[in-house]
Amino acid sequence: MDLNDRTRVSEVMSTPLETIGADEPLREAARRMDGDDISALVVTTGGGCIITQSDIIGAVAAGRDLDEAVVRDVMTEDVETVTPDLMMEEVAAMMTMYGVKHLPVVDDDYVGMVSSTDVAEHLS
């Protein structure tokens, strides 16, 4: 990444933020991700949680019933977050350090999502 790059998260994050309730069926989370062409949703009743395509794939691989299991059963908890004013090179470093592909953007409340795809598009 260009060390002189001063692009902030707010310039590349995905908005509006897509959310889902913790008690929604996994099938609904999968349907929403597929229909909206996104790979993660912030869980509104989870307190710092998201559900990703990887979480759903893991549930399918484990034989979970997508109509019986709910988001709370497989969501990723205690997710790292970033602020809108953070520089993109810092986001890339955080994703590498934590081994994640999604970071919710928080400014008093959740305002967006930045993904590894956003980072890759920013670099191209």
Side-chain angles (χ1 to χ4, degrees), residues 20-60:
I20 193 163
D23 295 321
E24 291 291 324
L26 287 185
R27 184 172 309 281
E28 176 60 16
R31 186 195 65 72
R32 297 257 318 278
M33 286 183 205
D34 183 54
D36 294 338
D37 194 28
I38 56 175
S39 54
L41 300 164
V42 169
V43 181
T44 57
T45 54
C49 302
I50 64 173
I51 185 164
T52 67
Q53 287 178 338
S54 297
D55 295 327
I56 294 172
I57 289 169
V60 170

Side-chain angles (χ1 to χ4, degrees), residues 52-107:
T52 67
Q53 287 178 338
S54 297
D55 295 327
I56 294 172
I57 289 169
V60 170
R64 307 282 305 249
D65 182 325
L66 294 183
D67 292 313
E68 295 293 322
V70 296
V71 168
R72 180 183 321 280
D73 296 336
V74 301
M75 66 189 182
T76 301
E77 299 181 78
D78 300 321
V79 176
E80 296 294 328
T81 62
V82 295
T83 59
D85 61 339
L86 200 64
M87 298 298 172
M88 286 303 293
E89 61 265 21
E90 295 170 295
V91 170
M94 285 179 70
M95 287 182 173
T96 300
M97 181 172 53
Y98 293 117
V100 298
K101 296 179 183 176
H102 301 89
L103 291 167
V105 182
V106 178
D107 189 15

